[in-house]
Amino acid sequence: MEDLNALLEPGMLVTHPDQPDWGTGQVQSNIGGRITVNFREQGKVVIDGKRVGLLPVFDE
């Protein structure tokens, strides 16, 4: 999980594997494994990258 999350940069689009109803989110920051994402349906969420592996979105 951590390795993929380390590649996430601001502006990238992601989804949360356990919360598909949140929709696609845009990475705002990725600092020390804490990833701030602004999701369409949920708003701004801080994700612990050690516990959740976000999924990059390339085809939206």
Side-chain angles (χ1 to χ4, degrees):
M1 273 188 279
E2 265 181 89
D3 296 335
L4 263 177
N5 283 340
L7 301 175
L8 297 177
E9 297 179 354
M12 293 181 75
L13 300 177
V14 296
T15 59
H16 190 300
D18 300 328
Q19 303 291 341
D21 56 316
W22 288 3
T24 302
Q26 185 178 47
V27 176
Q28 304 295 300
S29 66
N30 185 356
I31 302 169
R34 292 176 55 85
I35 306 155
T36 303
V37 182
N38 191 18
F39 289 98
R40 276 193 194 138
E41 304 300 326
Q42 182 65 24
K44 193 175 284 189
V45 178
V46 178
I47 306 285
D48 181 353
K50 294 177 182 166
R51 302 183 80 194
V52 177
L54 295 170
L55 304 172
V57 173
F58 297 108
D59 60 354
E60 190 168 271

